[in-house]
Amino acid sequence: MQIKVHYKALFIYDNDKDTVEYNEIGQLDKNKLSFKDISIYFDEHKMILKNGSSSLLFNHYKDTYNQYDVGYGKVNITTRLLKFTKNDHSIKLKYQLLDHHDIITTVYILVEMIPYEGA
């Protein structure tokens, strides 16, 4: 199903913040949302967040080891999913990226989904 997507991500580092925001037309299927270069796959046990050729795997119940492609090589990183909620109108995520046991960043993502009747 084609939808309008409003995506907002807040990245919090030590003493810094970055925000990324998109308004796009996307595709929502049973367990997958895709728009722009971003895809979010989800089920009751795991979630995969893809941005271009990079992807992060999250387990709903435990920290997950990843090799994240940063464009000039792969970085070993651990993901910790703190919150994942989805309903017919939104997806909310809160997760942390860790290097060993040190938190690199905390990320908040809100995706609002609106039915779209294409031209």
Side-chain angles (χ1 to χ4, degrees):
M1 162 174 59
Q2 213 172 30
I3 58 168
K4 291 182 184 178
V5 176
H6 177 228
Y7 170 93
K8 186 171 186 179
L10 174 63
F11 299 85
I12 300 176
Y13 310 97
D14 291 328
N15 294 318
D16 201 11
K17 291 189 235 184
D18 286 322
T19 302
V20 175
E21 195 164 358
Y22 300 114
N23 287 296
E24 299 285 335
I25 301 300
Q27 185 70 31
L28 179 63
D29 299 313
K30 182 179 178 197
N31 290 339
K32 178 185 174 189
L33 169 67
S34 57
F35 60 97
K36 202 166 173 62
D37 290 336
I38 298 172
S39 296
I40 303 171
Y41 303 88
F42 45 86
D43 65 26
E44 62 275 356
H45 301 289
K46 68 178 187 274
M47 185 192 73
I48 301 170
L49 178 59
K50 292 186 66 133
N51 188 350
S53 64
S54 300
S55 66
L56 291 171
L57 172 64
F58 298 86
N59 183 303
H60 288 279
Y61 308 106
K62 63 181 179 179
D63 293 356
T64 307
Y65 174 80
N66 288 258
Q67 286 192 321
Y68 187 69
D69 186 352
V70 292
Y72 53 84
K74 294 195 179 208
V75 174
N76 296 330
I77 201 162
T78 300
T79 56
R80 177 178 292 157
L81 186 60
L82 301 172
K83 178 179 183 176
F84 175 83
T85 58
K86 182 201 171 294
N87 61 38
D88 291 340
H89 308 288
S90 68
I91 295 174
K92 295 178 184 177
L93 299 170
K94 179 181 178 185
Y95 65 87
Q96 292 175 326
L97 301 178
L98 298 99
D99 179 18
H100 296 92
H101 298 288
D102 298 324
I103 297 169
I104 300 168
T105 186
T106 301
V107 182
Y108 299 83
I109 296 176
L110 172 61
V111 181
E112 296 174 311
M113 302 173 291
I114 302 162
Y116 176 73
E117 301 298 325

